[in-house]
Amino acid sequence: ARCWIDKYCIDQNAIEANLTCLPVFIAACDRLLVLAGETYLKRLWCLIELFVFFEMGGRFDHVHLIVLPTDSERESGGRSTP
């Protein structure tokens, strides 16, 4: 099994330059693990990764989504605060 982790495989200081290689990286993946924190949907490259995964033939049942707790949820022991 191979594991490609975008945070470590894409230069975080030159994300735009590395996005051109994204289809090549994603094409080698048959499953996608999404660790979605508070800012996940606000980061364009995260959405591009999902788009490319599905465009390259990825299946919805091959995406494993884990929603990470917010800072306030972690501080309150996992309970949501208003």
Side-chain angles (χ1 to χ4, degrees):
R2 287 176 263 169
C3 181
W4 174 75
I5 302 173
D6 69 348
K7 178 86 172 173
Y8 301 106
C9 297
I10 291 181
D11 181 351
Q12 299 297 298
N13 295 314
I15 291 171
E16 288 183 33
N18 285 262
L19 287 180
T20 57
C21 297
L22 192 60
V24 175
F25 300 142
I26 299 291
C29 301
D30 64 347
R31 298 193 179 275
L32 193 62
L33 170 63
V34 176
L35 302 174
E38 291 181 76
T39 63
Y40 183 79
L41 295 175
K42 296 176 183 176
R43 290 178 280 148
L44 180 59
W45 60 92
C46 294
L47 300 176
I48 291 172
E49 288 174 355
L50 286 172
F51 174 79
V52 170
F53 179 75
F54 292 121
E55 279 296 305
M56 300 297 290
R59 297 177 14 195
F60 284 101
D61 61 331
H62 284 190
V63 176
H64 185 74
L65 173 66
I66 297 175
V67 178
L68 301 174
T70 63
D71 289 340
S72 60
E73 289 172 335
R74 281 191 296 276
E75 291 168 2
S76 67
R79 298 177 305 279
S80 294
T81 56

